[in-house]
Amino acid sequence: MGLKLYKKDTSAPCRSVYMVLELLKIQDVEYVTMNLKGRDHFTDQYLNLNPQHTIPTLVDGNFVIWDSHAITTYLLNQYAVDDALYPKDPKKRAIIDQRLHFNNAILFTALRETMVPVIYDGEKTLRPENVAKIKSGYDFIESFLTGPWLAGDSLNLADICCVATISSLNEVIPIDKNLYPKLNAWFELCSKQEFYIKANVPGLLLFREMVKSAELE
Ligand SMILES: N[C@@H](CCC(=O)N[C@@H](CS)C(=O)NCC(=O)O)C(=O)O
């Protein structure tokens, strides 16, 4: 197989790829750690692979793909033994895809816009408009959740991609279980899963340290 993944462990999108690799039991992966502050993602070599200069980027032979949602759907389509995590049924898949677009457009955007001024510009207070975006993301998930899982009646890719982001957001604005009981129950359920503990928690703890060292007021 021989996959190569350009990554950074604190990054929520990278951690969603780690969780899918863990569930697929794919171990033959060369991991390349990127130093974003050192601008590793602006080298000619990396821009040739991914002109959008984001991580994660996956290389599989001579095939290159970036964006965690595109990477994880590719991995599942290419390597999963069944379609449990990304069902082929068009309606089931459409609901999962909607959650993936929601993660990309709403949850991850709120995380990124909140953290960039903190990490790169040293801002010590969260901008109120970004806090509002995070809370609005929590409100939406609370309204999506009609059962234990985010899309359909079993764990699937929607849970994996969204929990990678939500677990980081929770380090910045902790989920209030009184305001968001369904979100809190879903997050607790995801947090107990072996793949989450193995593949999300190590990078999440590094992200926690990063938030602490930012000394937010
Ligand atoms: N939608 C993308 C977002 C990727 C993204 O923005 N990653 C951040 C790190 S968490 C990054 O690469 N930032 C550097 C840049 O955009 O130049 C995904 O899901 O992979």
Side-chain angles (χ1 to χ4, degrees):
M1 193 180 293
L3 302 175
K4 192 170 184 177
L5 185 70
Y6 293 84
K7 57 84 179 176
K8 186 177 193 308
D9 296 347
T10 49
S11 153
C14 294
R15 287 188 267 112
S16 68
V17 180
Y18 301 168
M19 286 189 269
V20 168
L21 289 167
E22 173 65 30
L23 283 161
L24 290 173
K25 300 191 190 333
I26 295 177
Q27 287 170 346
D28 184 11
V29 182
E30 180 190 345
Y31 289 96
V32 181
T33 301
M34 301 291 281
N35 176 351
L36 298 189
K37 281 192 173 166
R39 296 177 66 81
D40 286 356
H41 54 321
F42 285 103
T43 61
D44 289 345
Q45 185 226 354
Y46 195 68
L47 289 172
N48 276 337
L49 279 181
N50 172 356
Q52 212 182 316
H53 51 78
T54 52
I55 50 160
T57 296
L58 179 80
V59 181
D60 185 1
N62 54 15
F63 176 68
V64 182
I65 184 81
W66 63 90
D67 187 280
S68 58
H69 310 87
I71 293 171
T72 50
T73 52
Y74 167 72
L75 286 170
L76 291 168
N77 287 330
Q78 183 76 355
Y79 296 112
V81 290
D82 60 38
D83 73 348
L85 291 175
Y86 195 47
K88 290 192 169 57
D89 174 83
K91 292 196 172 72
K92 287 184 181 166
R93 181 165 285 200
I95 299 289
I96 295 169
D97 287 342
Q98 182 274 322
R99 307 302 195 241
L100 300 184
H101 290 293
F102 167 77
N103 184 49
N104 217 356
I106 306 293
L107 296 179
F108 179 71
T109 299
L111 177 63
R112 187 178 163 124
E113 288 179 2
T114 303
M115 293 315 293
V116 164
V118 172
I119 293 169
Y120 293 96
D121 306 326
E123 290 188 13
K124 297 288 176 208
T125 44
L126 299 178
R127 296 184 188 176
E129 64 272 25
N130 291 330
V131 173
K133 282 180 195 161
I134 295 174
K135 290 187 175 164
S136 161
Y138 289 174
D139 286 334
F140 282 128
I141 296 215
E142 187 70 16
S143 66
F144 294 164
L145 277 161
T146 52
W149 301 106
L150 207 46
D153 48 17
S154 56
L155 169 87
N156 58 51
L157 187 60
D159 302 290
I160 297 165
C161 289
C162 289
V163 82
T165 315
I166 287 286
S167 60
S168 284
L169 288 172
N170 180 53
E171 296 297 327
V172 185
I173 305 281
I175 296 164
D176 179 336
K177 64 179 179 203
N178 296 314
L179 279 178
Y180 306 109
K182 293 190 224 164
L183 168 59
N184 184 61
W186 167 80
F187 183 47
E188 281 189 354
L189 178 63
C190 292
S191 304
K192 285 184 200 138
Q193 307 300 312
E194 203 181 319
F195 72 84
Y196 175 98
I197 295 166
K198 276 194 179 162
N200 192 56
V201 170
L204 181 63
L205 294 178
L206 295 174
F207 180 77
R208 180 175 296 170
E209 285 312 309
M210 198 182 197
V211 174
K212 252 193 222 160
S213 66
E215 295 177 339
L216 291 169
E217 288 154 3

